[in-house]
Amino acid sequence: MTMAINLLGELEVHDGKRLIPIRVPRHRTVLAALALAGGRPVSVGMLQKCLAGARDVSPGVIRVYLSALRTLLPPGSVQSVPGGRGYRLTIEPEQVDVLRFRALLSRRDQRVTDRVNTLREALALWRGSALGDVESDHLHLAETVPLEELRANALEELCELRIERGEHQRVLADLRIFVAQNPLRDNAYRLLLIALYRSGNLGEALALYDRLRRVLAEELGTEPSARLRRLHERILRQDPTLDAEPSLTPAQLPHDLPDFTGREELLTQLAHALANEPDGAPLPVVVHGHAGVGKSALAVHTAWLHRQRFPDGQLFADLRSEPDPWPVLARFLRSLGVPSGSIPDSPAERQAMYRTLTSSRRLLVLLDNATKEDQVRALLPTGPCSLALITSRSRLAGLAGAQSYEVDVLTRTEARSLLTRLGGAARIAADDQATGRVLDACAGLPLAVRVMGSRLAVSHDDSAAGLARRLRDQLSRLDAMTAGDVAVRTPLELGFDSLDDGPKSVLKLMAALSATDFAAWAGLAQTGGTAWADTIAELGLLQRLAADAAGQERYRLHELVRLFVRERSTPQDTRDGLARLAAFALAKVQAAVLPLTSDVLDPGGEPVQHTTDVRDGLDWLDAERGFLVALVADLAGHPFHAWRLAHALTPFFETRLHLDEWRTANRHARAAVLEAGARRGHALVLRDLGDLKHAQRDLDGAAEIFQETIGHLIRHGETLDRAWVLLRLGLVHLERGEHGPAERMLAIGRGEFRAAGNRRGEARCLRGLGVLKHRDGDLDVARDCLLGALTILRDLGDRHAQAACSHELVGVRLSRGERALARRHAEEEHDLASRRLRDPRLTAYGRLSLVLVRHAEGDPTAGQDAGAVAAEMRTLGDRHGHAWALAAVGQITGQHDELELARSMFTELSDDYGRRWVTRLLNPF
């Protein structure tokens, strides 16, 4: 049964059902002493002191009092503490009103409203004088006097808070009574004077001060305090800073959209951010994204959903229309009850006042359309339970501690749902294809969807077909995207017109391209730097994407932004910009592929700055593959640049087996050389087509193309051009099992490379000859050719070709029974591929070499690992490597199924040597 003991007035004991009378005065004293301890032990000595301090009250008498209390109170309420340490009540502190009162006063409320409610709850516990009928001098001095002081302080604090909230008239009665009961409390007079003045009772306020001054002079021989004297002077001159403006809780949020749609994931994330109450200063929340993406709508909707968590008010500022934060800060101060005449002129003092006012409030501050960090720093509230919600086209990365949330375009489902809510379900469903075309034109941009929905809602059409027709023409699409005074162009114009000429020229170039994304280097030829991308993104015209494989930050241009910028561009802007970009891209590609090939065209007189680390070049090319292929197509009006760029990309496509992109780039290159009339270029692009055929395992097609290429080069080419084609043709003959023609082509090619001093070409011919001699069984010559090639490649630093050459040497060494040397070559191959090149495909070949060496060394786990390599080759899309790995599995484990599958793959790939090698394994006799 719950027991409550009240001491803020006469002593009362409730057992949950009834009031228990404690009629004997000394019983009340003992019970009060035990209750004030809140369940802690009270010694016999302390009880003696409370009982009037009489030493004649023996412990035995106290035991009698306690025994009587036990009969009155619920069973077990009074307990003896073991060891003779005294007695205690089985009660919790919250069951004693005195202890509840003290706990409420010590509560650290963050909001003014909460503090007012807490003080009211605490003062409501009082029913009269503390311990009113408890006879104890000790308890009176130790408890009653401090409690009465706490009560007076709490009443003053409550009145002051209510005056700050504009309730000066409502507190007058309470203050008059309090001053009458406490005629010498300085602070009480101060509060009453302010309340009277603000209520318009100037005469009564002056009379009250005169009366106080006379009383103090007559009874104490003193003057009012300095604080009261200064207040009196301000009242006499009617200081405007004493005036109280109407103090209403600010509720400045813009209207929420009744048809707000989607954004469920973002709303959940923002709700979580708003629910987390930090221990220190509140962390601002930044909602950012490009123009027209719906940042403001999301922020306003979020603010309305959670406004109840901020009972001290919601402040709002549109920093596009009010870009200077200091007038905004003044407006915020007035909204928080500061009289206009009290707002400091100094920005620093103004900010200090704002920080003070917001430190104890629970405010939501919504700052819309911020452009830079300095705009918002002065407007951030300081209260731990307050929040600043900021929208910006920029991430505002310099805002300390900010939680950032990017707003992207609507999903297809969200866009259709919003269009349906605005345009009407029947009209949207009437022609699904037309609706789809409207949504395609909007490209998920909420502003565009909202404009189109508004147009549909007021149209007389039964479907979206008419609107879809008006949106068909890209040149006039933005003209159709207006509804009343709302237009998609408006936010785009704001950002575009803010750009300087340099970033503006790059943006025009990016809009002319068909690539879906790009990195900042693409604008280097226009501006000489990469800062343009961040500049444009900060204005909401570019969207930042995740960093790519090369560590570059990538950007995307929304389709409607692209259309808008194209409207602002001239043909000359596009033509000149594309030419500069093409030349710059060609130089970068050649620098990246130079470790793979010595067959590099002069990009136009500028020296090629390249890396000798093939890994760096391939990482960059992997990241830019889609952009560069799209650029080749975009250069249709610049055929000279188009075929050169496509040709420069060929070694990369071959190394990575990017066959689809290779086909696309080569198709555009063949059209470009014909338009440009580039005869040597025609031969080189034709040779690239032969390489593509070879990579696709169309050996007959490759041989035919290479033969045609040689014919072109005899007429229009150079000696080295012919040597590279002879090498290629020799390798094709080798893979077709035509060793005689293969050896002849490779020998002629080697001679021409040596005569021209091209050691890379010579090494590749030597490697081809080494493979040929290995297949012929001439192991000594095969070893010498491959070692000679490896020596040259090491001197050149061509790690990619080194790994391939080491792979061939592993087979030769194993055929010669040189297992230790085979292991050395296999480990070198794997180290080059995995650690230095980080090339997944070459690494898989290196693992295959190690597996074959381990099998030769008698490792029983080699077969299992060969199976893992086969699976990896299949994942990488290397069908030739997959076939050789399957053959290794069959060779090691004797599984005929694997060998049969490998033989069928070799047949499909036109690899006569591989097919015959597996056939010998299947039919050894």
Side-chain angles (χ1 to χ4, degrees):
M1 184 176 295
T2 301
M3 180 172 65
I5 300 178
N6 298 328
L7 298 168
L8 296 176
E10 295 184 352
L11 186 145
E12 291 181 347
V13 180
H14 294 268
D15 65 1
K17 292 184 178 180
R18 63 187 182 91
L19 188 66
I20 302 174
I22 309 295
R23 295 188 174 89
V24 178
R26 292 208 165 190
H27 292 174
R28 290 198 293 271
T29 302
V30 171
L31 181 57
L34 293 173
L36 288 167
R40 299 189 307 276
V42 179
S43 66
V44 172
M46 176 57 67
L47 291 175
Q48 288 176 320
K49 188 181 295 186
C50 292
L51 289 166
R55 295 184 180 178
D56 56 347
V57 180
S58 67
V61 171
I62 291 176
R63 285 196 294 273
V64 172
Y65 295 159
L66 291 167
S67 178
L69 286 173
R70 287 190 177 103
T71 62
L72 296 171
L73 301 177
S77 297
V78 180
Q79 294 182 347
S80 300
V81 179
R85 291 169 45 231
Y87 302 89
R88 62 181 291 272
L89 282 181
T90 55
I91 197 169
E92 297 296 329
E94 59 267 20
Q95 295 172 252
V96 181
D97 62 351
V98 170
L99 303 182
R100 282 208 314 280
F101 174 72
R102 286 176 171 152
L104 287 169
L105 293 189
S106 62
R107 182 184 294 174
R108 297 178 63 85
D109 295 304
Q110 301 297 330
R111 299 180 300 167
V112 173
T113 301
D114 289 344
R115 186 59 179 169
V116 167
N117 292 336
T118 296
L119 291 171
R120 281 175 168 161
E121 182 182 352
L123 293 169
L125 297 172
W126 287 74
R127 299 167 289 107
S129 298
L131 284 72
D133 58 351
V134 175
E135 299 176 1
S136 171
D137 292 340
H138 175 76
L139 290 179
H140 176 74
L141 291 174
E143 298 290 342
T144 302
V145 173
L147 282 170
E148 293 290 351
E149 180 64 21
L150 286 175
R151 180 188 188 184
N153 290 340
L155 183 59
E156 288 178 347
E157 182 183 356
L158 176 61
C159 289
E160 184 154 17
L161 290 175
R162 293 181 66 191
I163 290 172
E164 288 180 4
R165 296 204 312 179
E167 300 177 17
H168 36 269
Q169 290 183 325
R170 296 180 183 177
V171 301
L172 282 175
D174 292 338
L175 282 172
R176 285 186 175 112
I177 295 171
F178 184 64
V179 166
Q181 294 172 345
N182 300 270
L184 299 179
R185 288 188 71 89
D186 182 270
N187 195 43
Y189 276 100
R190 181 183 68 86
L191 295 173
L192 182 54
L193 285 171
I194 293 173
L196 287 169
Y197 180 81
R198 291 188 176 180
S199 300
N201 299 326
L202 176 60
E204 186 179 351
L206 294 175
L208 175 67
Y209 180 81
D210 288 340
R211 186 165 62 251
L212 171 64
R213 185 170 54 187
R214 285 196 305 271
V215 169
L216 290 174
E218 293 172 0
E219 296 188 9
L220 300 177
T222 63
E223 287 287 324
S225 68
R227 182 170 63 166
L228 282 180
R229 291 198 302 273
R230 287 194 298 271
L231 177 60
H232 179 241
E233 291 171 0
R234 292 171 65 194
I235 292 173
L236 285 173
R237 65 173 186 268
Q238 298 185 38
D239 188 340
T241 61
L242 280 176
D243 293 333
E245 295 188 354
S247 182
L248 299 175
T249 300
Q252 300 174 359
L253 296 179
H255 290 295
D256 193 10
L257 292 174
D259 44 28
F260 185 89
T261 303
R263 308 296 196 192
E264 297 300 330
E265 184 177 353
L266 272 174
L267 287 171
T268 300
Q269 292 173 352
L270 289 170
H272 182 71
L274 268 63
N276 286 337
E277 296 186 357
D279 296 331
L283 301 179
V285 174
V286 178
V287 176
H288 66 94
H290 59 76
V293 82
K295 305 176 294 295
S296 298
L298 174 63
V300 170
H301 187 67
T302 299
W304 274 100
L305 287 176
H306 301 281
R307 68 188 185 283
Q308 298 299 333
R309 295 190 60 251
F310 304 97
D312 293 326
Q314 304 92 42
L315 300 172
F316 173 80
D318 182 352
L319 298 179
R320 179 180 296 152
S321 58
E322 299 179 276
D324 186 348
W326 305 115
V328 174
L329 192 57
R331 179 166 62 78
F332 280 4
L333 290 172
R334 287 192 294 272
S335 299
L336 295 174
V338 178
S340 297
S342 301
I343 296 175
D345 292 330
S346 161
E349 292 179 355
R350 193 174 289 184
Q351 190 171 3
M353 178 179 286
Y354 179 70
R355 289 170 177 167
T356 301
L357 288 174
T358 59
S359 64
S360 59
R361 286 177 165 90
R362 194 161 191 157
L363 291 167
L364 174 62
V365 180
L366 177 53
L367 304 173
D368 198 19
N369 295 313
T371 58
K372 52 188 178 181
E373 293 85 351
D374 286 346
Q375 267 189 311
V376 301
R377 285 196 181 102
L379 304 175
L380 300 179
T382 56
C385 294
S386 293
L387 181 92
L389 182 57
I390 305 161
T391 73
S392 177
R393 297 183 180 185
S394 163
R395 290 179 293 185
L396 300 181
L399 203 57
Q403 304 173 75
S404 183
Y405 299 89
E406 184 172 11
V407 185
D408 204 346
V409 296
L410 296 172
T411 65
R412 185 74 169 194
T413 301
E414 290 174 334
R416 186 182 181 95
S417 178
L418 178 57
L419 192 65
T420 301
R421 295 184 68 176
L422 292 166
R427 188 179 287 113
I428 297 303
D431 188 335
D432 198 58
Q433 288 187 346
T435 298
R437 290 196 297 272
V438 171
L439 291 173
D440 290 341
C442 294
L445 194 69
L447 177 60
V449 177
R450 189 166 291 280
V451 167
M452 293 297 94
S454 299
R455 290 195 60 164
L456 281 172
V458 299
S459 75
H460 297 291
D461 297 338
D462 295 329
S463 71
L467 188 57
R469 283 192 297 273
R470 286 189 288 275
L471 294 172
R472 187 182 304 160
D473 184 5
Q474 289 191 354
L475 296 178
S476 61
R477 181 173 298 170
L478 289 175
D479 293 330
M481 289 188 169
T482 59
D485 62 351
V486 179
V488 171
R489 271 200 189 91
T490 303
L492 305 182
E493 287 172 341
L494 286 171
F496 186 81
D497 292 342
S498 301
L499 289 172
D500 294 333
D501 289 342
K504 193 174 290 186
S505 69
V506 182
L507 186 58
K508 290 178 180 180
L509 174 59
M510 296 302 106
L513 302 177
S514 60
T516 57
D517 59 80
F518 44 85
W521 69 265
L524 274 171
Q526 295 285 99
T527 64
T530 59
W532 66 269
D534 284 334
T535 300
I536 299 174
E538 295 292 299
L539 292 171
L541 298 177
L542 280 183
Q543 182 183 10
R544 290 183 177 90
L545 305 176
D548 57 29
Q552 306 173 120
E553 191 167 20
R554 301 199 73 80
Y555 300 87
R556 181 171 64 200
L557 199 62
H558 189 273
E559 186 58 31
L560 293 177
V561 177
R562 189 188 303 274
L563 290 179
F564 171 79
V565 177
R566 285 178 178 176
E567 287 182 351
R568 298 295 191 94
S569 305
T570 66
Q572 189 67 33
D573 293 331
T574 303
R575 184 166 54 252
D576 295 347
L578 274 174
R580 284 190 292 269
L581 174 59
F584 191 75
L586 178 62
K588 285 186 70 69
V589 169
Q590 290 177 333
V593 301
L594 196 55
L596 301 178
T597 179
S598 60
D599 184 22
V600 176
L601 292 172
D602 177 10
E606 294 294 328
V608 177
Q609 301 295 324
H610 66 276
T611 173
T612 57
D613 191 343
V614 66
R615 177 183 63 194
D616 295 338
L618 290 178
D619 283 348
W620 182 81
L621 287 166
D622 277 331
E624 297 295 346
R625 182 174 81 233
F627 176 83
L628 292 169
V629 173
L631 180 58
V632 171
D634 292 334
L635 291 170
H638 301 266
F640 179 74
H641 292 296
W643 78 259
R644 288 160 67 88
L645 181 58
H647 172 66
L649 286 166
T650 296
F652 164 65
F653 292 145
E654 184 176 19
T655 300
R656 286 290 204 245
L657 286 181
H658 293 311
L659 302 184
D660 291 337
E661 290 90 341
W662 195 351
R663 274 190 293 270
T664 300
N666 187 260
R667 184 179 70 251
H668 290 296
R670 281 181 280 134
V673 291
L674 292 175
E675 183 179 349
R679 295 177 178 179
R680 180 176 175 239
H682 185 205
L684 294 176
V685 169
L686 199 61
R687 188 191 77 186
D688 295 341
L689 178 60
D691 288 337
L692 175 60
K693 297 283 187 183
H694 190 182
Q696 293 172 320
R697 306 305 299 172
D698 180 2
L699 299 182
D700 292 341
E704 183 180 344
I705 294 294
F706 288 143
Q707 290 286 5
E708 182 183 351
T709 304
I710 288 176
H712 280 280
L713 290 174
I714 290 173
R715 297 188 298 274
H716 308 296
E718 300 174 358
T719 301
L720 269 181
D721 294 335
R722 181 171 176 272
W724 282 109
V725 179
L726 288 171
L727 166 62
R728 288 164 164 82
L729 191 55
L731 294 176
V732 169
H733 282 306
L734 174 62
E735 294 191 37
R736 292 166 69 180
E738 301 163 351
H739 286 198
E743 186 171 2
R744 187 165 58 254
M745 296 291 180
L746 291 170
I748 296 172
R750 179 190 179 195
E752 293 190 359
F753 279 125
R754 291 188 70 180
N758 190 306
R759 300 187 70 206
R760 191 189 300 268
E762 181 186 358
R764 295 197 176 187
C765 286
L766 276 173
R767 175 175 166 246
L769 288 168
V771 173
L772 184 149
K773 292 300 181 181
H774 183 199
R775 294 180 181 183
D776 282 345
D778 192 345
L779 299 181
D780 291 341
V781 175
R783 176 200 59 199
D784 293 344
C785 286
L786 290 170
L787 286 175
L790 188 60
T791 300
I792 294 173
L793 293 170
R794 284 172 177 163
D795 290 344
L796 294 173
D798 188 342
R799 293 171 179 168
H800 190 278
Q802 282 181 62
C805 197
S806 296
H807 183 78
E808 301 296 344
L809 271 167
V810 170
V812 172
R813 295 296 191 185
L814 289 177
S815 297
R816 292 170 59 86
E818 299 168 345
R819 291 194 294 271
L821 291 174
R823 172 168 282 280
R824 185 182 305 168
H825 290 307
E827 288 174 348
E828 179 184 7
E829 175 192 1
H830 188 265
D831 179 69
L832 282 168
S834 62
R835 187 172 66 84
R836 301 190 182 187
L837 298 176
R838 293 185 305 195
D839 187 307
R841 182 165 158 264
L842 287 181
T843 300
Y845 277 98
R847 289 182 60 199
L848 181 59
S849 294
L850 287 171
V851 164
L852 293 172
V853 171
R854 286 166 50 206
H855 170 60
E857 293 171 343
D859 187 339
T861 64
Q864 181 179 352
D865 289 345
V869 173
E872 186 175 355
M873 290 287 194
R874 183 175 64 249
T875 301
L876 291 170
D878 188 337
R879 297 169 65 220
H880 204 235
H882 186 203
W884 278 110
L886 288 172
V889 174
Q891 177 189 11
I892 295 170
T893 65
Q895 297 177 15
H896 277 219
D897 290 345
E898 304 294 332
L899 290 172
E900 289 287 3
L901 179 57
R903 180 164 65 177
S904 67
M905 291 182 69
F906 282 130
T907 301
E908 183 183 349
L909 293 168
S910 302
D911 188 336
D912 185 64
Y913 174 75
R915 180 186 58 78
R916 287 188 284 108
W917 189 82
V918 173
T919 299
R920 285 196 299 271
L921 290 176
L922 286 167
N923 303 294
F925 306 107

